[in-house]
Amino acid sequence: MENTVGISEDNFKEVFKYYKRRKPPPSFKDVLHVNDAFQDGLSIPPTSISVIEEDELQSLGLLPPKDWKIFNFISHPDLLFVRNPFTENGQLKWIDACLREYPRNPNKTNLESCNIALADSSWWDLATSPEGRKEDLLKKLRWVTLGYHHNWDTKEYSEDMQGVMPQDLKRLCKLVAKVLGYEDFIAEAAILNFYHSDSSLGPHTDHSEPNMSAPLLSFSFGQSAVFLIGGATKKTRPTAIFLHSGDILVMTGATRQAYHAVPRVVCVDETPWIAKNCDNSKSEGVSELEQDNCRLKFKGKQLETQELNCTVKHDILNYVKTSRININIRQVLLPSMQSLS
Ligand code: OGA
Ligand code: MN
């Protein structure tokens, strides 16, 4: 029972502190790598779903579900891990959306509490302007909420505190949940977390949602992280797992209510968010004309229209070189509820 657990029995905190430590840095030898040699869980077949249009997959930046590598963990059978199911250009599509599309009014961000008003501009446009760079605005964005806004003080959602969930993000989550066997999932709230190389997220459970039986979907992009997953109380010693760019973690069943944390961002050399055959060398100090000639061609139908010019692409790649983006998605309402009121 938790109330009988003394401070010394907070085994979660001990592990959290260990991985957060700077001097000396921790050893990562016990952190699980979900790779081809992964043996600490079972491989789970994707649920076959009705014919998905090739276009739908491509517009969401996803590989065909039959090629997804899905696992669970011996210590946490209800924790599902999808190893990067994104196409080479797919990751960049979502990174771009998280940086340039979502952090703007009327979505909520932490910038308000730093007395930074976005008015009509996006955070990205402001942050990459000469004034924004002087103020180091790129470093100041920590979170954005979409759909039902998470209220960080009351930890409650309310009907009059909501914005729109972007349609493509909703479709992405619907499809991912379906492939994992969760037919009726609806993405109703999103928290986007922006981590820098020294950021961490303390031990917590996510319990603000009336619907605690729907899975929680968590997407990782950019730099890697050590993720800790524990149990219903902090007494359970957590398991450490590496999350890399493109990986999707899905908390279901008992694990939906488990303590978890991100003690550390781990900067890596790999750049799976950018197509290997893509020449980025041109993006530095290029003229306007050259910029127009140097465009990132997305293969998918919908992606084709979202070409990134060189300067933008250069700035995005620079951002993710030292940052991690987490898209954390929840279903809020119970199937029997029409609204929160
Ligand atoms: C959260 C969360 C985990 C992550 O936002 O509640 O647990 O991987 N994020 O960043
Ligand atoms: Mn969480």
Side-chain angles (χ1 to χ4, degrees), residues 193 195 201 204 206 218 227 243 260 262 324 326 328 330:
N193 294 298
Y195 295 81
L201 177 66
H204 67 281
D206 294 303
S218 180
F227 179 83
L243 296 179
H260 57 282
V262 179
R324 168 176 187 260
N326 168 243
N328 211 269
R330 298 99 189 266

Side-chain angles (χ1 to χ4, degrees), residues 253-274:
T255 299
R256 171 67 180 80
Q257 316 210 24
Y259 274 92
H260 57 282
V262 179
R264 198 178 191 97
V265 168
V266 181
C267 289
V268 291
D269 293 333
E270 292 79 16
T271 54
W273 49 84
I274 184 85

Side-chain angles (χ1 to χ4, degrees), residues 120-187:
D120 289 335
S121 32
S122 68
W123 159 74
W124 182 262
D125 284 346
L126 215 57
T128 54
S129 70
E131 305 79 56
R133 290 197 198 269
K134 248 185 262 152
E135 302 285 321
D136 213 7
L137 256 189
L138 280 173
K139 278 265 161 78
K140 294 194 173 139
L141 183 72
R142 306 317 285 253
W143 58 260
V144 175
T145 53
L146 311 169
Y148 279 119
H149 296 299
H150 190 261
N151 183 323
W152 303 89
D153 301 321
T154 64
K155 304 230 185 311
E156 276 181 16
Y157 297 101
S158 74
E159 201 53 36
D160 52 9
M161 273 273 287
Q162 61 172 309
V164 264
M165 273 298 283
Q167 274 309 315
D168 54 354
L169 189 55
K170 262 186 122 158
R171 286 196 295 128
L172 173 74
C173 296
K174 182 119 215 130
L175 198 146
V176 169
K178 224 171 177 176
V179 174
L180 299 177
Y182 296 89
E183 180 75 40
D184 303 318
F185 185 80
I186 307 168

Side-chain angles (χ1 to χ4, degrees), residues 65-76:
K66 66 171 176 47
D67 297 332
W68 294 15
K69 304 261 185 288
I70 309 166
F71 299 92
N72 73 355
F73 298 84
I74 294 169
S75 58
H76 291 85

